[in-house]
């Protein structure tokens, strides 16, 4: 068993680290592809079109279910080469209805692990997305008492992590970012001088994928959230 590190600032991602999130969107996409039933393009090619649209809309409009619905509508229009009808938009909204008001489903062992870590470390939470939507999840998760502060930001890049360090007056080199996304959690935190813990989630959004340097010894890779107590 590895030795535990001394008291540190631990910054946690939320979606797909503390609770399931993207799997809900994947289920809607699966239903959307079935509903679309394109006569010539297979599901993989349609998904590639949707990914490109989502990538552009994330830059222009941010994240969350409203932007996701916009992307589905634009995908439909691109593939059918015409504007979506009112009926089609209503059907797309119905497909995505499960995203609205969904109960937060914690990852296994999250509550117990945070309870353990909070007794030894300073915990912060950092999540990106549409503010109202993310706040609803934070309010429903039952975890906020573990964190000194929770922040909702429009994007998580290196400047975001530098801001967080200034905001809470901690040394980045003595802090750890914990999350499932190479693109939003690990790489920008490392660029800001922080350490990182990568906990993969098989349902991580494809746009959050990126390559990590296997020789970077300031990134710990864990199989599951409860494994954190072996290191901190």
């Amino acid at each position: 068993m590895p030795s535990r590190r001394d008291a540190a600032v631990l910054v946690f991602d939320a979606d797909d680290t503390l609770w399931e999130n993207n799997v809900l969107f994947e289920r809607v996409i699966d239903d959307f592809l079935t509903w679309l039933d394109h006569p010539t393009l297979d599901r993989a090619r349609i998904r590639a079109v949707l990914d490109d649209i989502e990538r552009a809309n994330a830059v222009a409009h941010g994240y969350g279910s409203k932007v996701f619905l916009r992307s589905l509508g634009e995908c439909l229009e691109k593939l059918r080469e015409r504007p979506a009808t009112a009926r089609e938009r209503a059907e797309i909204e119905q497909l995505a209805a499960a995203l609205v008001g969904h109960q937060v489903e914690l990852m296994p062992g999250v509550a117990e692990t945070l309870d353990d870590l909070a007794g030894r470390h300073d915990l912060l939470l950092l999540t990106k997305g549409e503010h109202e939507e993310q706040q609803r999840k934070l309010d429903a998760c039952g975890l906020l008492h573990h964190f000194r502060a929770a922040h909702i930001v429009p994007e998580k890049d290196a400047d975001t992590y530098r801001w967080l360090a200034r905001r809470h007056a901690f040394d980045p080199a003595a802090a750890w970012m914990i999350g499932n996304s190479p693109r939003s959690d690990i790489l920008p935190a490392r660029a800001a001088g922080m350490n990182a813990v990568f906990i993969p989630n098989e349902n991580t959004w494809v746009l959050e994928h990126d390559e990590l340097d296997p020789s970077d010894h300031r990134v710990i890779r864990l199989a599951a959230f409860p494994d954190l107590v072996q290191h901190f």
Side-chain angles (χ1 to χ4, degrees), residues 154-229:
E155 186 58 270
K156 289 161 73 174
D157 53 24
D159 284 341
T160 304
Y161 291 97
R162 295 186 186 104
W163 166 82
L164 189 70
R166 293 193 302 270
R167 174 71 173 78
H168 292 284
F170 64 77
D171 176 8
W176 295 78
M177 178 62 200
I178 298 161
N180 68 292
S181 167
R183 177 182 173 272
S184 293
D185 300 326
I186 310 305
L187 294 176
R190 291 292 297 116
M194 294 175 61
N195 308 285
V197 179
F198 177 45
I199 307 177
N201 183 322
E202 64 180 4
N203 294 309
T204 295
W205 189 23
V206 65
L207 300 190
E208 295 292 341
H209 294 182
D210 210 331
E211 295 296 322
L212 299 180
D213 181 358
S215 67
D216 186 351
H217 299 299
R218 292 177 65 187
V219 176
I220 298 174
R221 291 166 171 79
L222 300 181
F225 196 90
D227 294 342
L228 286 165
V229 299

Side-chain angles (χ1 to χ4, degrees), residues 90-185:
E91 290 176 347
I92 290 173
E93 289 182 7
Q94 184 60 39
L95 288 173
L99 297 175
V100 180
H102 177 79
Q103 296 298 311
V104 172
E105 180 183 344
L106 298 182
M107 297 288 191
V110 161
E112 299 84 353
T113 302
L114 289 178
D115 189 55
D116 188 329
L117 294 174
R120 298 189 298 277
H121 303 281
D122 184 14
L123 310 189
L124 300 171
L125 189 150
L126 183 68
T127 182
K128 73 176 182 181
E130 195 277 322
H131 192 279
E132 181 178 350
E133 187 170 352
Q134 293 304 100
Q135 188 63 56
R136 180 191 64 78
K137 297 182 209 173
L138 296 183
D139 292 341
C141 71
L143 301 173
L144 288 184
H145 62 285
H146 293 304
F147 300 97
R148 177 156 61 94
H151 297 283
I152 301 170
V153 294
E155 186 58 270
K156 289 161 73 174
D157 53 24
D159 284 341
T160 304
Y161 291 97
R162 295 186 186 104
W163 166 82
L164 189 70
R166 293 193 302 270
R167 174 71 173 78
H168 292 284
F170 64 77
D171 176 8
W176 295 78
M177 178 62 200
I178 298 161
N180 68 292
S181 167
R183 177 182 173 272
S184 293
D185 300 326

Side-chain angles (χ1 to χ4, degrees), residues 37-55:
D37 191 26
H38 196 277
T40 59
L41 297 181
D42 61 24
R43 296 171 77 91
R45 292 178 66 187
I46 296 172
R47 180 60 190 265
V49 172
L50 178 59
D51 287 345
D52 287 342
I53 291 171
E54 286 199 281
R55 186 176 291 106

